[in-house]
Amino acid sequence: MKLTKQAPKGFTLIEILIGVAILAMLAAGMWVAVGSFEDKKLRKKAETEVAYLVTCMNEYRTDNGGILPFGRGDEESSNIMYRALSFDENGDGEPDNIDGVTRMPYCPTFNVIKNPKEAEQGEGIPVLKASIRTKTKGRKKMLVIVDPWGRPYRYRLGCEAEDERGKTGEGVNGDFDIFSQGPDGKGDSTNKSVDNEDNISNIKFW
């Protein structure tokens, strides 16, 4: 009896499609896991930076007799916070020289980035030269403190605090609020309710 050698059996089209689908599912799962890890990393960095800014602002308040600058929690408030913590009123990115003495900034880790395109996610708390629109000043270049997602950190005077003109703030905290609008950038900076839906994902100090 003569045995015939059978040709090796190949994969069917259905088997190939199933294999491709499994690989695609594994790749998608890995992509989600990597994205989730990166998001947690940036959130943790933002929380650390907010805590650092809070410490610096408390030092500023102590040195200024308990008086804090006024801020509404809008984009311009980031510039107000920057000027308070850096002694850079002229906006050149360096502490001002007053009567031959250069004041030591409260945040010596600021890094001025002249080109906004050079800012990358998660690189620290650089100061970004950004274009900010305000009602009274029109379009103007200002230095702001940016979060790990490249958006300005916000500052708001507290509901029990007064600025040098005696104006009371509208913040959630009694003294001041410092916050990021989070990865989605959709936080409502003008609503002080902690239950506000847009503020749930914010990185904040309150």
Side-chain angles (χ1 to χ4, degrees):
M1 182 176 179
K2 187 176 180 181
L3 297 174
T4 58
K5 188 176 180 180
Q6 291 183 345
K9 184 179 179 181
F11 293 106
T12 66
L13 179 60
I14 293 178
E15 291 172 332
I16 293 174
L17 291 175
I18 291 174
V20 170
I22 292 173
L23 289 175
M25 290 173 63
L26 290 173
M30 291 181 63
W31 181 266
V32 170
V34 170
S36 177
F37 174 78
E38 185 64 20
D39 181 63
K40 289 180 180 178
K41 181 179 175 182
L42 294 179
R43 282 177 176 271
K44 186 64 178 177
K45 177 178 280 291
E47 290 171 2
T48 302
E49 291 174 357
V50 167
Y52 177 57
L53 291 171
V54 167
T55 299
C56 295
M57 188 59 76
N58 278 324
E59 291 178 2
Y60 171 91
R61 177 173 57 177
T62 299
D63 290 347
N64 286 273
I67 300 299
L68 289 162
F70 186 81
R72 296 180 180 276
D74 51 13
E75 284 188 327
E76 186 179 0
S77 69
S78 188
N79 175 256
I80 293 170
M81 180 166 57
Y82 165 72
R83 286 187 284 115
L85 301 180
S86 67
F87 293 111
D88 179 23
E89 288 294 334
N90 59 14
D92 64 355
E94 298 291 338
D96 296 337
N97 187 297
I98 303 173
D99 298 328
V101 178
T102 300
R103 302 286 300 274
M104 276 297 294
Y106 293 97
C107 287
T109 59
F110 281 149
N111 174 33
V112 175
I113 299 176
K114 299 298 183 182
N115 183 0
K117 293 182 180 179
E118 294 176 3
E120 297 180 0
Q121 278 197 354
E123 66 177 16
I125 39 179
V127 176
L128 180 67
K129 186 157 284 188
S131 192
I132 299 174
R133 186 182 298 278
T134 65
K135 293 181 179 178
T136 57
K137 298 180 181 179
R139 200 158 182 82
K140 183 180 180 180
K141 293 286 185 179
M142 293 183 182
L143 288 173
V144 298
I145 308 171
V146 298
D147 64 17
W149 297 276
R151 304 185 188 95
Y153 277 114
R154 308 299 181 98
Y155 163 78
R156 183 166 51 200
L157 186 64
C159 57
E160 299 175 4
E162 294 182 353
D163 65 2
E164 63 278 358
R165 298 167 296 177
K167 190 171 184 179
T168 305
E170 299 178 352
V172 175
N173 283 311
D175 46 11
F176 59 86
D177 305 335
I178 294 177
F179 58 99
S180 160
Q181 290 188 299
D184 60 5
K186 296 180 180 179
D188 180 4
S189 63
T190 61
N191 191 322
K192 62 182 180 180
S193 171
V194 294
D195 297 324
N196 180 267
E197 185 177 354
D198 288 337
N199 277 328
I200 292 175
S201 64
N202 289 359
I203 312 299
K204 54 209 172 191
F205 169 63
W206 65 59

